[in-house]
Amino acid sequence: MTTLPRHKPVSDASLRAFAGYHMKRAFNVIKADLIETLKPFDLRMVTYSTLVLIVDNPGLRQAQMADALMIERPNFVAIIDELETAGLITRQRAPEDRRAYALMATLSGQAQCKWATEAVNAHEHRVFGVLSDAERRLLLSALGKIEINAAQ
Amino acid sequence: MTTLPRHKPVSDASLRAFAGYHMKRAFNVIKADLIETLKPFDLRMVTYSTLVLIVDNPGLRQAQMADALMIERPNFVAIIDELETAGLITRQRAPEDRRAYALMATLSGQAQCKWATEAVNAHEHRVFGVLSDAERRLLLSALGKIEINAAQ
DNA sequence: TATTGTTATACTCTATAACTATA
DNA sequence: TATAGTTATAGAGTATAACAATA
């Protein structure tokens, strides 16, 4: 008896004309799956990315890491605190510049990074496994072009 | 004289192995451009998407719109307030269910939607114009597959 | 005077519980 | 009792100004 039926389908045809809308929707599902993937390791997307960068680039300063991750320096403090409290990284005063900290992964941090990366690889396989190798290559190529184009 | 040179390049090679990392970086540049595109219209991404949906689906209820946009009902209230205050839409009590509001775009809202959509089309051309038609089609197809796959 | 890490702060986005008015 | 819209609130995420220690 409702003239406004409750489950009338909503048309998003106009939005679907935009590639950006599809990017957002696809990225939303990827993000949701990644968050679940990292939860057992007590890592968030940003703490996982940071941990990987510290493992791969031992000894760098906070400001350098923050720049690479495009995170504002003040916001990076809590992220580093979180990883340090979890025993995954250490802050070491840089001997030649006592204002700066050099960031290093602990042995535990290296192990955690390796295990989490295995889980993230499984996540990537789950999410992008629907694509053929050719599709996946073309997706990466297209994404790269979009990013480079914007930097001009 | 720094043994930790300030601009030592940071390797993100490990992260670049992940398609999701490229998705995030590409989406970041798209988002930044779209935010600038919508600023002259006093619209945010979410208010623009909502306006388009209301123009295309006049008379639907808030809850239906919120579901379609995957926004929690409480958070949708401020979005609708914003569009209503700007004179772009109206809330009309649904006569057959006086708890509900039917959402309608005003004439001004329809015009604003049309102009903003022209700007968003230009934005899409700027951002995705680096891709060939074939690349763009394959990107959309791949994104669709990722989204559908996740819904299973 | 400038820079590193930090604190404080504010604004957005997102998620949940609970209220009101209607059904 | 259940639902539509709302309020309040809390947690992330993000951005800027300003401070102490050091250069």
Side-chain angles (χ1 to χ4, degrees):
Chain A
M1 255 205 15
T2 48
T3 42
L4 288 179
R6 238 195 267 132
H7 296 299
K8 183 170 163 185
V10 181
S11 163
D12 63 348
S14 294
L15 295 178
R16 285 197 183 278
F18 298 124
Y21 182 66
H22 293 272
M23 282 286 295
K24 180 167 175 61
R25 294 186 69 100
F27 185 64
N28 277 349
V29 308
I30 296 167
K31 193 167 64 174
D33 192 277
L34 182 56
I35 288 170
E36 286 310 304
T37 298
L38 292 173
K39 212 164 255 174
F41 301 94
D42 273 317
L43 290 170
R44 298 178 291 141
M45 279 172 54
V46 69
T47 49
Y48 171 69
S49 305
T50 303
L51 180 58
V52 169
L53 242 56
I54 294 174
V55 167
D56 278 11
N57 302 271
L60 290 200
R61 301 170 176 201
Q62 285 189 201
Q64 292 173 299
M65 296 284 182
D67 284 355
L69 288 158
M70 290 183 291
I71 296 169
E72 296 300 320
R73 255 72 50 104
N75 299 328
F76 201 54
V77 175
I79 293 164
I80 293 298
D81 283 348
E82 195 175 323
L83 290 169
E84 193 181 34
T85 300
L88 303 179
I89 65 158
T90 59
R91 278 172 167 107
Q92 300 177 30
R93 277 288 177 203
E96 76 297 337
D97 184 346
R98 297 182 16 74
R99 294 171 304 182
Y101 284 120
L103 301 178
M104 306 278 294
T106 62
L107 288 178
S108 161
Q110 290 172 42
Q112 185 81 327
C113 183
K114 193 179 159 220
W115 297 329
T117 295
E118 283 169 17
V120 174
N121 278 323
H123 143 84
E124 285 255 324
H125 190 266
R126 257 195 320 275
V127 170
F128 296 97
V130 273
L131 306 182
S132 69
D133 282 357
E135 280 177 316
R136 195 174 170 285
R137 267 196 307 276
L138 211 138
L139 173 65
L140 287 189
S141 154
L143 294 174
K145 284 182 187 177
I146 291 166
E147 197 190 336
I148 290 167
N149 174 245
Q152 312 308 324
Chain B
M1 247 203 42
T2 48
T3 43
L4 288 179
R6 240 197 264 133
H7 297 300
K8 184 170 163 185
V10 180
S11 164
D12 64 348
S14 294
L15 296 178
R16 284 196 183 277
F18 298 125
Y21 182 66
H22 292 272
M23 283 284 296
K24 182 169 173 57
R25 294 185 68 101
F27 185 63
N28 277 349
V29 308
I30 295 167
K31 193 167 64 173
D33 192 276
L34 182 55
I35 288 170
E36 287 309 304
T37 298
L38 292 173
K39 211 165 259 174
F41 301 94
D42 274 315
L43 290 169
R44 298 177 292 142
M45 278 171 53
V46 68
T47 49
Y48 171 69
S49 307
T50 302
L51 180 57
V52 169
L53 243 55
I54 295 175
V55 167
D56 278 11
N57 302 270
L60 289 200
R61 301 169 174 204
Q62 284 189 204
Q64 292 172 298
M65 295 285 182
D67 284 355
L69 288 158
M70 289 185 292
I71 296 169
E72 296 300 319
R73 254 72 51 102
N75 299 329
F76 200 53
V77 175
I79 293 163
I80 293 297
D81 282 349
E82 195 174 325
L83 289 170
E84 193 182 34
T85 301
L88 303 179
I89 65 158
T90 59
R91 281 172 166 107
Q92 300 177 29
R93 277 289 177 203
E96 76 297 336
D97 184 347
R98 296 182 18 73
R99 294 171 303 182
Y101 284 121
L103 302 178
M104 305 280 293
T106 62
L107 287 178
S108 162
Q110 290 172 40
Q112 185 80 328
C113 183
K114 193 179 158 219
W115 297 328
T117 295
E118 283 168 17
V120 174
N121 278 323
H123 143 84
E124 284 256 324
H125 190 266
R126 257 196 318 277
V127 170
F128 295 98
V130 273
L131 306 182
S132 70
D133 283 357
E135 279 176 318
R136 195 174 171 283
R137 270 195 304 276
L138 210 139
L139 173 65
L140 286 189
S141 153
L143 295 174
K145 284 182 187 177
I146 291 165
E147 197 190 336
I148 289 167
N149 174 245
Q152 314 305 326

